[in-house]
Amino acid sequence: MVDTAHRNTGVEGVAGGVGVTALLVAAARAIETHRPDSLARDVFAEHFVLAAPASAGWPIHPRQVPEGDADPLWGRFARYFGLRTRVLDDFLLQSVHVGGARQVVLLGAGLDSRAFRLDWPPGCVIFEIDREEVLAFKHQVLDGLSAAPNAARVPVPMDLRADWAGALPGAGFDPAAPSVWLVEGLLFYLPPAAETYLIDTVDRLSTAGSALAFEVKLDKDLLEYRDSPLYTATKQQIGIDLLDLFDREPRPDSAGNLTDKGWSTSVHTPFDFTRRHRRGPLPEPNDALAGNRWVFADKPRP
């Protein structure tokens, strides 16, 4: 197993901008973990939140959210992240246990702890690509807990603006073997050309039998929801203006591009899974989640 040297705690990697959103999602996973009707459990999530000065005072338990699901941020939005975690957990486990892939690549892995908390079959390798300082912070927290991964874990400390595709083979990735790719909570922040490059690169590195899941926003105008409860609560309560972080250019049709390349794709709203699991957010007026889509793709075997 490959690991990276800890030259610092990496706290600066989650101290501002997009890095703080990783802490937001970790806090949501912590709250979800402690719900009596939890969809996903992540016992590591609260430790990330507690370790970072940027998230000091944030809730990590439902009892710290007096308004419950009526709280736009720590209720409804946190429920969204809990649901997303469960759905993507299921996708990954299905892809390795049933689909047979043994390589999993987490692009923009952030504070993802799936290598440590999911039941991986023998022979699985989890590649985590993210900036060095983000991975250093994660390692510092997990090392402090003496956490051990449930599969071979290969951190790849690299900015996604650099040649991550060129670095993967050197880290042990085999493009001739089926792989599973996850792009969670990342594409919102990338320019359209960068999204297209990422999807094209995943296609190039994926042989038949591979699978991919990613999340996109298809709103024609993100500013239409500027005053939505979700955005305003996030800015007021924790100082994160998500609309300032999102790229607002028209998005490419990445699902359609994959279909044109021979992948089998399906596109879902989060609300589809709320109804399936009977937990999670449902549509509401002035809904900042209205344009969110979860895309699942398989590259068929001959």
Side-chain angles (χ1 to χ4, degrees), residues 16 38 57 69 72 94 101 104 112 134 163 181 225 249 265 270 281 286 298:
S38 173
D69 285 357
Q94 173 81 8
V104 178
D112 188 307
V134 174
D163 184 20
W181 303 81
Y225 302 108
E249 295 180 69
T265 61
N286 192 20
D298 295 284

Side-chain angles (χ1 to χ4, degrees), residues 172-190:
F173 177 84
D174 181 5
S179 49
V180 186
W181 303 81
L182 179 60
V183 190
E184 179 182 19
L186 170 65
L187 298 181
F188 304 156
Y189 309 105
L190 300 184

Side-chain angles (χ1 to χ4, degrees), residues 5-271:
H6 307 339
R7 291 182 294 187
N8 55 60
T9 64
V11 170
E12 66 275 13
V14 291
V18 176
V20 181
T21 67
L23 291 169
L24 165 60
V25 178
R29 292 200 308 270
I31 294 170
E32 184 69 29
T33 296
H34 293 294
R35 294 183 192 272
D37 59 347
S38 173
L39 281 168
R41 296 191 73 253
D42 181 352
V43 299
F44 306 104
E46 64 188 66
H47 296 281
F48 296 131
V49 179
L50 294 171
S55 48
W58 291 9
I60 55 174
H61 195 287
R63 65 170 173 261
Q64 297 171 320
V65 187
E67 295 183 25
D69 285 357
D71 184 309
L73 171 57
W74 300 120
R76 187 171 187 262
F77 204 18
R79 271 269 149 156
Y80 171 82
F81 291 123
L83 177 68
R84 186 181 76 179
T85 299
R86 168 61 180 274
V87 170
L88 297 180
D89 283 356
D90 289 348
F91 159 78
L92 291 171
L93 292 175
Q94 173 81 8
S95 297
V96 296
H97 284 285
V98 179
R102 290 296 181 267
Q103 300 182 123
V104 178
V105 185
L106 308 178
L107 287 166
L111 303 180
D112 188 307
S113 62
R114 289 183 171 97
F116 296 82
R117 63 180 182 78
L118 294 186
D119 179 22
W120 301 104
C124 257
V125 182
I126 317 298
F127 298 90
E128 297 186 8
I129 304 177
D130 212 321
R131 290 176 297 140
E132 181 177 9
E133 57 268 29
V134 174
L135 293 177
F137 172 72
K138 178 158 68 172
H139 294 158
Q140 186 253 341
V141 173
L142 293 173
D143 287 353
L145 299 171
S146 298
N150 297 326
R153 175 174 171 265
V154 183
V156 182
M158 179 165 287
D159 193 305
L160 286 168
R161 292 170 294 186
D163 184 20
W164 57 268
L168 267 177
F173 177 84
D174 181 5
S179 49
V180 186
W181 303 81
L182 179 60
V183 190
E184 179 182 19
L186 170 65
L187 298 181
F188 304 156
Y189 309 105
L190 300 184
E195 176 178 332
T196 297
Y197 171 79
L198 185 149
I199 296 296
D200 286 348
T201 302
V202 169
D203 171 62
R204 177 170 58 83
L205 295 176
S206 297
T207 191
S210 296
L212 163 66
F214 60 94
E215 180 184 26
V216 292
K217 287 186 78 69
L218 300 182
D219 305 275
K220 291 183 179 179
D221 180 10
L222 286 173
L223 295 181
E224 177 183 356
Y225 302 108
R226 161 60 80 183
D227 63 348
S228 71
L230 188 153
Y231 287 145
T232 55
T234 302
K235 184 174 182 179
Q236 291 169 359
Q237 294 188 43
I238 60 175
I240 298 176
D241 189 339
L242 289 171
L243 287 173
D244 277 353
L245 298 177
F246 293 160
D247 187 278
R248 298 182 203 159
E249 295 180 69
R251 307 313 302 176
D253 180 9
S254 293
N257 291 343
L258 284 169
T259 300
D260 292 343
K261 295 176 185 297
W263 293 66
S264 173
T265 61
S266 62
V267 181
H268 300 269
T269 72
F271 310 126

